[in-house]
Amino acid sequence: MKRIVAMGHPQAANTAFWYMRALFNWCKKEDVIAISPCEGLENPAPIKMRERVVSDPELAAIWKGCEPAPDEVGYPFGSIVRLLMLTGQRRTEVAAMRWSELNLEAGNWEIPGDRTKNENATIIPLSTLALDILRSIPKLKDSPFVFPARGNKDSHFSGYAKGKKGLDDKIEIDGKPLENWTLHDLRRTLATNLAKRQVPPHVIEHVLNHSAASMTGVSKIYNTYAYDKEKREALQLWADSVKWIVQAKAEPSMAA
């Protein structure tokens, strides 16, 4: 880990450490080992919290870069990125989406607890724009996944690095490549823009499937309302905003 830090990649060192710690914790849980060698160890580098929020012109450029093209950035990676942008969910939650989780008629995506970071099941209301994307995706026979891995219908898409590089090669802002953005920044961008549009913090937390930090301890215990209606309104508001942002970029006179 120290070597990775010395090479100038402190956050990569942290990530490697977290994966290693998770592996040894699993081994301990399964009685493969008695003690994890990671117990008592601190992160190899200070955790640097990202604050990157994608701007409207950048958002429009990313959306455009996701359009289907001969180099196949459009599908499946482009569709995944657009759904990340519209739903605010984590990349693996989207990439590992199952057809069985979707009710396109009702406009709902139900993610079970074994697929979420906090192990809490959640329902994501799908905006009209998200539904258009999902309805355009071909359903591969005998695969449960919306985005199956290439050549393996029993696994989901995982080619993030290659897909991101291909997308980055297509994106320009004022003739310059878009730098220093990650897929997770789209989640933060959604939350920030919902706040700008006066969506209450507790609704945003439910959209993100966080434990609502805006609630007191008592509220968390007794308020079991899922805010599905409010989440639908918020995500539709954001989808409409994304559509306007993309169209305004394509037709500058709209922004005047």
Side-chain angles (χ1 to χ4, degrees):
M1 301 303 168
K2 291 182 179 179
R3 184 179 298 178
I4 300 176
V5 174
M7 292 170 61
H9 304 291
Q11 299 312 310
N14 282 338
T15 300
F17 172 70
W18 297 334
Y19 276 118
M20 183 175 66
R21 182 174 60 189
L23 172 62
F24 284 123
N25 285 344
W26 178 86
C27 290
K28 181 180 178 182
K29 180 181 177 181
E30 296 296 319
D31 293 325
V32 177
I33 59 177
I35 300 175
S36 167
C38 292
E39 285 185 17
L41 296 181
E42 297 182 352
N43 294 321
I47 298 175
K48 183 178 179 180
M49 301 299 292
R50 285 184 63 85
E51 298 179 352
R52 177 85 155 90
V53 173
V54 176
S55 68
D56 287 0
E58 292 172 339
L59 200 71
I62 294 170
W63 183 275
K64 182 180 179 182
C66 291
E67 291 177 357
D71 58 8
E72 298 185 359
V73 169
Y75 176 83
F77 190 68
S79 299
I80 291 172
V81 172
R82 286 183 172 180
L83 287 172
L84 290 172
M85 189 183 297
L86 294 170
T87 65
Q89 303 311 296
R90 297 178 176 84
R91 71 176 193 179
T92 302
E93 291 167 354
V94 172
M97 182 187 292
R98 275 79 161 171
W99 289 110
S100 60
E101 298 170 356
L102 296 171
N103 185 333
L104 299 183
E105 289 187 6
N108 287 330
W109 170 27
E110 186 169 355
I111 312 177
D114 61 2
R115 285 222 311 111
T116 64
K117 184 177 180 179
N118 61 9
E119 299 183 350
N120 290 332
T122 184
I123 294 177
I124 306 302
L126 297 167
S127 64
T128 52
L129 204 51
L131 284 169
D132 287 344
I133 293 171
L134 288 168
R135 286 172 176 148
S136 72
I137 294 172
K139 192 171 184 179
L140 186 64
K141 185 179 180 181
D142 298 329
S143 176
F145 297 104
V146 177
F147 304 108
R150 181 174 296 182
N152 184 1
K153 62 179 175 34
D154 296 322
S155 185
H156 62 81
F157 175 90
S158 60
Y160 306 109
K162 182 178 179 181
K164 176 69 160 49
K165 184 181 184 304
L167 179 56
D168 284 340
D169 289 343
K170 296 178 64 178
I171 302 174
E172 288 188 350
I173 299 290
D174 297 327
K176 298 180 180 180
L178 178 59
E179 298 179 345
N180 189 33
W181 77 281
T182 68
L183 296 179
H184 197 75
D185 292 339
L186 299 176
R187 181 171 164 90
R188 187 180 305 104
T189 298
L190 176 144
T192 301
N193 276 276
L194 289 183
K196 285 182 180 179
R197 288 158 177 78
Q198 309 302 311
V199 175
H202 60 276
V203 175
I204 298 174
E205 296 288 351
H206 277 79
V207 167
L208 299 176
N209 194 23
H210 282 166
S211 296
S214 59
M215 290 186 180
T216 66
V218 172
S219 296
K220 290 179 183 178
I221 294 172
Y222 290 101
N223 185 0
T224 61
Y225 180 54
Y227 293 92
D228 289 339
K229 176 178 177 292
E230 292 81 359
K231 285 159 57 177
R232 185 175 301 280
E233 291 172 350
L235 288 172
Q236 187 59 52
L237 173 66
W238 174 233
D240 292 341
S241 297
V242 170
K243 185 175 182 179
W244 186 90
I245 290 167
V246 172
Q247 290 177 342
K249 180 64 176 177
E251 304 172 29
S253 60
M254 290 183 62

